[in-house]
Amino acid sequence: MSVDELSPGDLITRLPAAPELSERPWTVRWDALDEPAEQVLGRLLPPETAFTTSGSTGRPTVWHRTREQLVSEAGLLAALLEDARPEAVVSFAPPRHLYGMLASVLVPALLGVPVWYVPQFAQLPPTDHRRWAVMAIPWTFRILLSRTNWIDAAERLAFVHSTAVVPRSAHDLLSAAGDRASLTEIFGSTETGGVAHREWSPHNPPWHLFSDVEFGHGPDRPGAEDPLVVRSPRIARPGTGAPVAECRMDDHVVRLGDRTFGFAGRRTRLVNVNGRRLDLDLMEERLAGVLDCEDLACVPVLDPLTGEHFDLLIVPASAGAPDAEELRRALDRIEYRPRSVRTVERIDRSETGKLRRVQSARARPEGVDR
């Protein structure tokens, strides 16, 4: 697939709705501007841009962000990459969504470096540059692990990741790249924009609020897990409403300090089974590391006996679905049995990897007892 060479005007005036900008590879030479990027963005960006949520936690809704909010957040993200001194950006984040527009368009513009957008399975950019910022979504790491020549040619790889739990493939890639690679995680939503950031490590470090974000009014019980409430000038305007300064998120956190917190789980991904609270995202990550399959998902379900439970959905690999023994060993890793195990043809996810709905599900004959 050929790469479309776009000017800044070609790109921005067609965002975020043009499907070809998310489905085809393209490149923009932000390093070739003859005026400051802020002036170009101020002239090309509309006063407001509408973004639609993925629909992973309910009906998709529209949120409006001002030009100033977008440029301000892009500046915060670009600042996180300063120490890495990237010469170029490669982004896998579709620009029709907020994170994608920031990562694929506005951050490269403010960094003043060329950017290549790579949809799934498209060719990676040439290895002319040695220091890269890599704007990632969950499947990015699996793709890059299969293209080791590109990774090996890089002197520095500064990954940025948002929207989901860091997958096991990211751990593997970072381990293989050693000191050449780092990973910065962004915590946020379409409604709030970026709320916090941290440098990834396997030791689960705390999240730090961005400089323009504060904890909002809400529960503040030491050591307790409460919904995250934040105040920020970058909170989006709801589709039919007025701007708001405070937002209650779906995420449960533990306050660790005046500006730090630990993540306890997304409300829609937490289930309570027989008095035990289970984080489905964490269980998915543990299972993905030991089950040989194309994809898998832990899906919350209602249960007549326990009230809440979850099913495990598996998309088989080309060699077939895991056998009963492999499945039992994998389930020992999460220390709790799903209500059932089903093989499915595919798991419908948003472009950024979030679970939406299931297609063509059928129960596995062997099943798994509660």
Side-chain angles (χ1 to χ4, degrees), residues 85 222 296 325:
R85 296 180 286 110
L296 62 82
E325 182 59 30

Side-chain angles (χ1 to χ4, degrees), residues 115-136:
V115 59
W116 280 262
Y117 169 67
V118 180
Q120 196 166 10
F121 306 121
Q123 186 175 352
L124 291 173
T127 56
D128 300 343
H129 301 281
R130 300 278 291 164
R131 304 181 68 87
W132 290 90
V134 184
M135 316 305 274

Side-chain angles (χ1 to χ4, degrees), residues 212-270:
D212 62 350
V213 178
E214 298 178 350
F215 288 120
H217 298 294
D220 182 13
R221 300 171 296 165
E225 298 176 3
D226 292 310
L228 177 59
V229 183
V230 295
R231 298 180 63 85
S232 167
R234 292 183 285 103
I235 294 176
R237 178 177 69 82
T240 58
V244 296
E246 185 170 286
C247 182
R248 179 188 177 102
M249 302 178 70
D250 281 333
D251 305 285
H252 286 224
V253 304
V254 177
R255 292 269 293 269
L256 301 175
D258 290 341
R259 301 190 56 77
T260 59
F261 63 85
F263 178 56
R266 286 184 291 154
R267 177 179 58 82
T268 55
R269 300 291 290 157
L270 299 173

Side-chain angles (χ1 to χ4, degrees), residues 143-164:
I143 294 293
L144 291 180
L145 280 170
S146 68
R147 305 183 188 185
T148 55
N149 289 343
W150 194 90
I151 293 293
D152 292 342
E155 174 186 304
R156 181 73 168 89
L157 295 164
F159 289 91
V160 176
H161 183 264
S162 185
T163 76

